Amino acid sequence: MWMDTHAHLYFPEFSEDREGVIDRAQKEGIDRIVVVATDLASSRAALALAQKHASLACTVGIHPKSAHAAPPGFLADLEEITAHKKVAAVGEIGLDYHRLPPDPEAADAEKDCQRRAFRAQLAFAREKNLPVVIHQRSAWEDTLATLDEVDNAVSCVFHCFGEGPDRLQELIRRGHFVSFTGIVTFPNAPLARASAQAVPMDKFFLETDCPFLAPVPYRGKRCEPWHVRLVAEAVARLRALPPSVVAEASSQNARLFFRFDD
Ligand SMILES: [Zn+2]
């Protein structure tokens, strides 16, 4: 079984041929795709797609870069969407301190806003007993500190993992998972590749993060879910394993994490 555990199929990059992209994934043997939300509108759009296709599941959540635009009562909206059984996780949520406003006060305000949204959604996930898809960029310490505040009592996957083996161990110690994108096919990504080589077989998933991060040889082009095969091949090469073994481990880990019952 092959799975793309992180896809943004509702993005405009797919508006011309979305059904064709989903069909192509199925023909390539990708049996399940998790459509990951980044704000309220995409939480609704991800659910609508998941309701239409048996092979799709979805998440609900506000991305840190969308936190400032979330309406004050957004948790009630998330709650309403989460009532549907196709919702498998809360995400992507977290902290992203890359490209903060240059003014220090504005930067602090943005960080505060992100932290409030992250904390609120972690509490929400805990209450709903849902796993969490984490987006972390340039905010490693604060992200871990926020998870430590809730005793790491929610199961998390750090998506698009690009950190090295030391940070990987910090997550594993806390009981979390990582997932790898096409970045592991890039020659200039030594940390991600070292982590893909070092990660225990029961602690990782594979994803595309499409339409972004197309793996080599499609780098720079639109990424789509079937490219997860190329991510698996890259991880397999790093570990000297057959790609099918890597894909099966990823699918099995993701099945348990998202609690898919097939
Ligand atoms: Zn994403």
Side-chain angles (χ1 to χ4, degrees), residues 55 64 87 105 118 159 185 187 222 228 261:
S55 60
V87 175
E105 246 169 69
F118 185 28
H159 112 89
T185 70
R222 182 187 73 173
V228 76
D261 47 18

Side-chain angles (χ1 to χ4, degrees), residues 194-205:
S195 285
Q197 206 166 18
V199 68
M201 284 299 275
D202 60 349
K203 287 290 173 191
F204 75 94
F205 325 150

